[in-house]
Amino acid sequence: MFAARSYRDQGDPMAEVLLFHHAQGQTAGVLAFADELRRAGHTVHTPDLYDGRTFATLDDGLAYAREVGFDNLLDRGVGAADGLPEELVYAGFSLGVMPAQKLAQTRAGARGAMLFESCFPVSEFGTAWPAGVPVQIHGMDADPFFAGEGDLDAARALVESAEDAELFVYPGDRHLFADSSLPSYDADAAKLLTQRVLDFLVR
């Protein structure tokens, strides 16, 4: 809270963020994270790609995502930017990285991207990471999804190719570690992630 107040008092320009939830839906933890950014003075939009559904387990959430279709969810996410300013920071947790990264790479005017616990190869959405768009990527070093399914490798490749990119790897094997409403929550790692995100948004 002190950090949030000090940023605002310094008169730093505030960001406008489009934040996408993970496969378990728009949980209380996702909304709490958005509120943390709002307390720092930022505007945060939190579209619900699941129409109000949330799931107690990651497996159940992924099953629902498969039922709806990943392409359909991607289209919903991209559509959530319609009517919003071009100058957005795009952010997503895990499944939500899919629309966040696509928008950051393909929608004109992006101010930045924050990719939590997932990362796609840049080639998925274009030929190169766009110039002038800073990006942060966060994940745990033994997360079976982030580290075990190629996302960490994609993140390292993105950081090597982009002019302003940071990769933060935390010790642990938890997925969705920054969601305070889930058993996977890691308070210490989440606190550090949040501080790094706030620093990113004010610079």
Side-chain angles (χ1 to χ4, degrees):
M1 289 289 250
F2 173 78
R5 286 196 301 273
S6 64
Y7 288 143
R8 191 157 44 230
D9 292 344
Q10 290 166 13
D12 291 306
M14 296 295 103
E16 189 160 355
V17 180
L18 183 56
L19 174 67
F20 295 99
H21 62 75
H22 49 68
Q24 287 179 240
Q26 195 178 77
T27 60
V30 170
L31 295 175
F33 181 82
D35 284 341
E36 187 75 15
L37 304 189
R38 292 185 183 112
R39 280 194 290 273
H42 305 292
T43 299
V44 186
H45 306 276
T46 54
D48 188 346
L49 306 185
Y50 278 12
D51 296 324
R53 294 176 180 83
T54 57
F55 296 90
T57 69
L58 185 58
D59 286 344
D60 288 345
L62 287 171
Y64 178 73
R66 293 187 191 99
E67 179 185 326
V68 173
F70 291 108
D71 287 343
N72 289 330
L73 291 171
L74 178 59
D75 289 343
R76 290 181 189 179
V78 170
D82 293 347
L84 295 178
E86 287 187 344
E87 298 78 15
L88 294 174
V89 176
Y90 299 101
F93 289 100
S94 191
L95 179 72
V97 165
M98 184 170 56
Q101 186 172 337
K102 180 172 182 178
L103 285 162
Q105 287 191 228
T106 64
R107 191 172 187 250
R111 290 188 61 195
M114 303 182 299
L115 313 179
F116 307 125
E117 302 171 283
S118 181
C119 183
F120 289 84
V122 171
S123 59
E124 187 78 18
F125 304 116
T127 57
W129 188 260
V133 180
V135 56
Q136 275 192 352
I137 308 163
H138 301 257
M140 285 196 160
D141 61 3
D143 174 355
F145 296 95
F146 181 71
E149 296 189 353
D151 297 69
L152 180 54
D153 293 334
R156 286 172 173 151
L158 192 163
V159 168
E160 287 179 8
S161 69
E163 63 185 32
D164 188 355
E166 298 174 291
L167 170 61
F168 297 107
V169 181
Y170 305 77
D173 61 359
R174 299 185 184 189
H175 194 63
L176 308 182
F177 69 87
D179 187 323
S180 60
S181 65
L182 299 180
S184 54
Y185 180 60
D186 183 315
D188 290 339
K191 181 179 179 181
L192 185 53
L193 178 149
T194 302
Q195 187 59 57
R196 286 166 167 166
V197 162
L198 292 173
D199 291 343
F200 178 81
L201 290 175
V202 297
R203 75 173 174 82

